[in-house]
């Protein structure tokens, strides 16, 4: 439980808009231990999603820039790695699920193709049978049935819950070590939210994942996490053992969040 | 899908009727009657003869009657006889269609071949040197008047260098040439008109594709694709391209009328024997049956182009197909 799988050191990320430069993440440092559930809580605009995207190397695609800092994954700095070396890790060792399943699936590509791509991109030599086997395993893990129909559907033909399960199946396809879940229940109905959260935490246990979850919901943070960090205006104001923080919050902002 | 098609076709009926009403009204209210040009410069014609001619063409009848008579004939593609040489207008129009289609298909193909890769590349390498140079070129292409570019090219390649012929579609001795010489003769006549008619649309289309691609690259599913571990190339070709090219269907659909209607300016400058020049000559001669024929056909083709674009859209975009 003590091995550090991810170390973030003095990370600062900025976004340039036409009128100003916004520093979305300011000098943030924290460690994630192997096998734990690490939750980052904060209101929208606190920089928590920006932070999650940085772990997945999505900052530049988002139009942001990493100003300074390091992200060590097993001792290697992800920010200094060449693209190709990072690419091999993405979706294989570190993977991510997103806020809104609706917009995170390509609307004009069949779902089946999008799912199997997660496997084939890291196993270009895989045979058809092998692909089929791996994909159906992954779909079983996220408890999707009617897989034949889903496979031949386009995203708009599926429900929000199904889509989020599909995104999760793509993320766990290659048995990653780290799963980043960025507000995984935001776009979903209240009844489905719990199912998805339970599924994620179950997968965490069965697959031995290290889970990093981003949320604005303090109850979710308390229920699912071992360690948490509270973000406010791009800074981590408090971090540590979840129960410890809830019992004895030190920062004023944390107290405010807990009392709400 | 089938229902969608039927609905789409039914909607177009009132539009077609509207097209004919407007075409007719525009011609009817245009100052200067066709008989004027036939008469005014001919001192031998008496005003009685003029009245007889007016009667012959039915120009003395009330508007709605004139329209109805005209409409009945238009339905069967009978636009009347040309005032200029007495031949049926539809015949004159139809014989010009192949040359115009040839010119326009070639320039659409050239446009796609050049504009699609250029648009995509300048989106993917946004603000790179290539993108900046291209922006300048596109602005030049877009703002240079077509007739001026055409004349400049004619001067350079036709007169100074003498490489290419500058007018018509074939040489005088075309019929005596061998097959290969014929092909080259045709091709060399087409090079300049095709380039000139491609320039403007290339500029527009490459900008469209650039902005479409930029828009798609900001979408959330692109982040999913990158986070799967796909390379930039795979993301662009497997995920972004199809989405970015959807708007292209509309543009191609809308270029169908131009495909057959032809360009007045280009065809006139190059003395190209197509629909555009026919239209230009007809307007100069106040040849009403031909003008109205071209007007109705072009409007009809615009409508058809829209329908084709809608259908292609439905084929390409599953979100529309299953609605």
């Amino acid at each position: 439980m003590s091995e550090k799988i991810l170390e973030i050191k003095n990370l600062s990320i900025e976004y340039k808009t036409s009128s100003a430069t916004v520093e979305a993440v300011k000098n943030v440092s924290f460690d994630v231990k192997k096998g734990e559930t690490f939750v980052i809580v904060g209101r929208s605009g606190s920089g928590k999603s920006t932070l999650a995207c940085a772990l997945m190397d999505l900052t530049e695609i988002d139009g942001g820039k990493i100003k300074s800092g390091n992200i060590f994954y097993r001792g290697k700095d992800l920010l200094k790695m060449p693209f190709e070396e990072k690419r091999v890790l993405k979706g294989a060792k570190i993977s991510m699920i997103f806020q809104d399943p609706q917009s995170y699936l390509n609307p004009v590509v069949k779902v089946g193709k999008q799912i199997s791509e997660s496997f084939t991109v890291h196993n270009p030599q895989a045979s058809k049978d092998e692909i089929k086997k791996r994909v159906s395993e992954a779909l079983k893990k996220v408890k999707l049935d009617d897989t034949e129909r889903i496979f031949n559907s386009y995203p708009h033909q599926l429900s929000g819950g199904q889509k989020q399960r599909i995104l999760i199946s793509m993320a766990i396809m290659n048995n990653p070590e780290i799963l980043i879940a960025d507000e995984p229940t935001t776009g979903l109905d209240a009844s489905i939210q719990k199912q998805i959260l339970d599924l994620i935490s179950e997968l965490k246990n069965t697959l031995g994942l290290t889970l990093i979850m981003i949320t604005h919901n303090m109850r979710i943070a308390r229920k699912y996490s071992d360690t948490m960090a509270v973000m406010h205006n791009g800074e981590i104001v408090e971090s540590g053992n979840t129960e410890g923080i809830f019992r004895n919050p030190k920062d004023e902002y944390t107290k405010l969040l807990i009392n709400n | 899908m089938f229902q969608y098609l039927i609905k789409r076709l039914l909607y177009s009926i009132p539009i077609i009727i509207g097209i004919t009403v407007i075409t007719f009204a525009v011609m009817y209210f245009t100052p200067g009657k066709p008989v004027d040009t036939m008469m005014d410069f001919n001192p031998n014609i008496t005003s009685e003869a003029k009245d007889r001619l007016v009667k012959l063409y039915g120009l003395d009848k009330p508007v709605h009657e004139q329209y109805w008579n005209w409409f009945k004939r238009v339905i069967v593609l009978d636009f009347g006889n040309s005032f200029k040489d007495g031949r049926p207008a539809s015949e004159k129009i139809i014989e010009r269609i192949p040359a115009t289609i040839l010119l326009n298909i070639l320039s659409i193909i050239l446009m796609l071949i050049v504009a699609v890769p250029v648009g995509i590349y300048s989106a993917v390498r946004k603000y790179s040197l290539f993108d900046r140079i291209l922006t300048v070129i596109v602005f030049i292409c877009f703002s240079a008047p077509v007739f001026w570019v055409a004349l400049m090219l004619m001067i350079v390649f036709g007169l100074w260098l003498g490489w290419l012929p500058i007018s018509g579609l074939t040489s005088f001795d075309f019929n005596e040439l061998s097959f290969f010489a014929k092909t080259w003769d045709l091709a060399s006549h087409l090079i300049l008109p095709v380039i000139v008619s491609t320039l403007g649309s290339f500029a527009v289309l490459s900008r469209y594709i650039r902005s479409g691609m930029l828009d798609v690259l900001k979408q959330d599913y692109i982040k999913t694709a990158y986070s799967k571990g796909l390379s930039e190339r795979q993301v662009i070709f497997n995920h972004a391209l199809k989405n970015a090219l959807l708007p292209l269907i509309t543009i191609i659909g809308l270029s169908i009328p131009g495909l057959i209607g032809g360009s007045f300016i280009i065809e006139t400058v190059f003395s190209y024997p197509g629909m555009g020049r026919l239209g230009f000559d007809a307007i100069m001669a106040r040849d009403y049956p031909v003008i109205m024929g071209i007007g109705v056909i072009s409007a009809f083709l615009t409508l058809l182009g829209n329908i084709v674009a809608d259908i292609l859209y439905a084929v390409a975009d599953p979100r529309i197909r299953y609605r």
Side-chain angles (χ1 to χ4, degrees):
Chain A
M1 206 45 193
S2 61
E3 187 194 345
K4 287 179 196 165
I5 194 160
L6 215 52
E7 280 176 83
I8 286 89
K9 285 216 159 70
N10 308 320
L11 188 66
S12 294
I13 303 168
E14 60 180 26
Y15 279 81
K16 277 204 175 81
T17 60
S18 50
S19 53
T21 305
V22 183
E23 200 169 4
V25 172
K26 297 170 196 155
N27 203 24
V28 160
S29 303
F30 62 93
D31 299 337
V32 180
K33 292 189 205 85
K34 189 171 166 48
E36 73 173 342
T37 300
F38 190 100
V39 166
I40 302 169
V41 282
R43 294 216 173 118
S44 55
S46 63
K48 54 195 194 313
S49 280
T50 307
L51 184 58
C53 283
L55 302 179
M56 207 63 216
D57 191 33
L58 293 171
T59 308
E60 272 173 37
I61 291 152
D62 238 0
K65 195 174 168 276
I66 295 191
K67 229 174 87 187
S68 59
N70 314 85
I71 300 172
F72 291 106
Y73 161 73
R74 295 190 172 277
K76 273 190 186 164
D77 192 347
L78 290 175
L79 299 179
K80 294 200 172 73
M81 258 183 208
F83 181 86
E84 190 51 32
E85 210 175 317
K86 274 186 292 195
R87 194 186 69 75
V88 178
L89 293 176
K90 281 190 282 183
K93 296 288 174 200
I94 309 174
S95 56
M96 182 160 176
I97 51 182
F98 298 92
Q99 297 185 13
D100 179 10
Q102 188 69 39
S103 60
Y104 281 90
L105 284 170
N106 191 335
V108 301
V109 178
K110 276 191 182 165
V111 170
K113 198 177 163 221
Q114 299 192 52
I115 299 173
S116 41
E117 188 182 48
S118 303
F119 179 64
T120 51
V121 64
H122 294 289
N123 303 276
Q125 253 88 53
S127 69
K128 269 203 174 127
D129 289 340
E130 215 177 324
I131 298 169
K132 210 174 168 187
K133 196 174 138 248
R134 279 298 288 267
V135 168
S136 65
E137 270 174 25
L139 290 177
K140 218 172 279 164
K141 280 180 198 157
V142 297
K143 304 193 172 111
L144 267 174
D145 23 69
D146 203 6
T147 48
E148 200 67 28
R149 185 183 73 83
I150 287 173
F151 231 66
N152 290 310
S153 301
Y154 288 96
H156 71 279
Q157 295 169 295
L158 304 172
S159 72
Q162 283 172 322
K163 276 182 261 196
Q164 190 59 290
R165 282 171 202 270
I166 285 162
L167 281 162
I168 296 171
S169 79
M170 300 192 318
I172 59 156
M173 182 69 69
N174 300 298
N175 295 325
E177 288 183 290
I178 302 173
L179 179 66
I180 303 162
D182 182 9
E183 304 243 15
T185 55
T186 307
L188 302 172
D189 295 343
S191 59
I192 314 232
Q193 288 191 3
K194 191 178 174 310
Q195 288 176 23
I196 294 289
L197 284 170
D198 287 344
L199 174 70
I200 292 173
S201 96
E202 187 190 319
L203 286 170
K204 182 211 163 258
N205 292 328
T206 52
L207 302 176
L209 301 169
T210 304
L211 180 64
I212 300 174
M213 189 148 70
I214 317 291
T215 183
H216 60 270
N217 186 324
M218 292 302 272
R219 264 182 314 177
I220 290 177
R222 187 169 202 174
K223 185 170 172 199
Y224 293 96
S225 72
D226 304 310
T227 313
M228 68 183 254
V230 182
M231 270 191 97
H232 181 49
N233 288 336
E235 288 170 285
I236 289 185
V237 293
E238 188 165 2
S239 66
N241 176 278
T242 305
E243 266 318 299
I245 289 179
F246 271 92
R247 290 220 181 100
N248 186 20
K250 292 197 177 60
D251 186 83
E252 286 304 314
Y253 185 73
T254 316
K255 282 179 198 167
L256 191 80
L257 284 182
I258 290 171
N259 293 331
N260 270 344
Chain B
M1 181 73 200
F2 185 68
Q3 248 181 330
Y4 173 76
L5 194 65
I6 298 286
K7 211 163 73 182
R8 205 62 193 72
L9 289 173
L10 285 177
Y11 277 148
S12 56
I13 292 172
I15 301 175
I16 291 176
I17 293 171
I19 288 170
T20 61
V21 169
I22 291 170
T23 312
F24 186 83
V26 167
M27 282 292 112
Y28 184 82
F29 292 116
T30 310
K33 291 295 160 209
V35 280
D36 293 350
T37 38
M38 299 167 96
M39 307 274 129
D40 291 355
F41 304 110
N42 192 339
N44 296 332
I45 285 182
T46 60
S47 67
E48 270 163 47
K50 191 170 172 177
D51 287 343
R52 250 186 300 152
L53 207 58
V54 166
K55 214 165 219 150
L56 178 70
Y57 287 124
L59 294 173
D60 55 340
K61 294 197 179 115
V63 196
H64 61 271
E65 218 170 298
Q66 280 190 44
Y67 167 74
W68 180 240
N69 287 334
W70 176 75
F71 183 75
K72 277 190 295 194
R73 287 184 289 121
V74 163
I75 301 261
V76 291
L77 287 180
D78 175 9
F79 299 103
N81 291 343
S82 165
F83 289 162
K84 216 169 143 195
D85 51 14
R87 292 173 55 211
S90 51
E91 194 184 298
K92 289 185 81 170
I93 294 168
I94 286 165
E95 73 184 14
R96 294 297 187 97
I97 287 179
T100 296
I101 289 186
L102 178 67
L103 172 61
N104 287 302
I105 284 192
L106 287 175
S107 58
I108 284 184
I109 292 172
L110 181 66
M111 169 185 84
L112 290 176
I113 289 175
V114 184
V116 172
V118 157
I120 290 168
Y121 192 83
S122 48
V124 173
R125 296 279 171 269
K126 185 173 58 159
Y127 305 137
S128 65
L129 186 65
F130 176 84
D131 184 32
R132 281 164 205 270
I133 291 173
L134 217 97
T135 307
V136 175
I137 293 174
V138 160
F139 271 105
I140 293 171
C141 287
F142 191 60
S143 46
V146 170
F147 62 88
W148 179 81
V149 176
L151 290 172
M152 288 301 129
L153 290 177
M154 283 159 87
I155 291 174
V156 174
F157 292 98
L159 296 179
W160 293 355
L161 298 170
W163 290 350
L164 297 168
I166 55 172
S167 74
L169 183 57
T170 49
S171 303
F172 292 119
D173 55 353
F174 185 73
N175 288 325
E176 286 124 53
L177 296 171
S178 67
F179 176 74
F180 286 108
K182 268 185 184 168
T183 313
W184 167 244
D185 188 54
L186 204 62
S188 63
H189 278 89
L190 279 165
I191 291 175
L192 290 182
V194 166
I195 289 177
V196 171
S197 60
T198 306
L199 282 181
S201 50
F202 152 75
V204 176
L205 189 72
S206 67
R207 287 282 108 170
Y208 257 113
I209 291 176
R210 180 181 181 272
S211 69
M213 194 72 183
L214 282 177
D215 195 43
V216 168
L217 288 175
K218 273 186 237 149
Q219 298 297 310
D220 290 336
Y221 53 82
I222 297 298
K223 283 188 219 164
T224 311
Y226 273 113
S227 68
K228 280 175 178 175
L230 294 173
S231 66
E232 189 185 29
R233 218 188 150 74
Q234 287 169 315
V235 171
I236 288 162
F237 285 100
N238 301 355
H239 288 277
L241 195 58
K242 199 174 170 195
N243 286 288
L245 292 186
L246 282 178
L248 206 90
I249 294 168
T250 315
I251 299 168
I252 293 176
L254 289 179
S255 66
I256 289 178
L259 191 77
I260 300 178
S263 157
F264 281 20
I265 297 171
I266 292 170
E267 292 191 4
T268 306
V269 172
F270 285 102
S271 307
Y272 191 86
M275 286 263 282
R277 204 169 119 231
L278 179 69
F280 182 77
D281 292 345
I283 289 170
M284 290 322 231
R286 290 203 187 142
D287 193 349
Y288 282 53
V290 175
I291 302 173
M292 286 161 92
I294 291 177
V296 170
I297 289 180
S298 305
F300 179 72
L301 289 170
T302 310
L303 192 66
L304 189 73
N306 274 321
I307 294 175
V308 169
D310 281 352
I311 293 168
L312 285 178
Y313 233 109
V315 171
D317 191 336
R319 285 165 297 183
I320 294 173
R321 197 185 317 157
Y322 293 97
R323 198 166 287 155

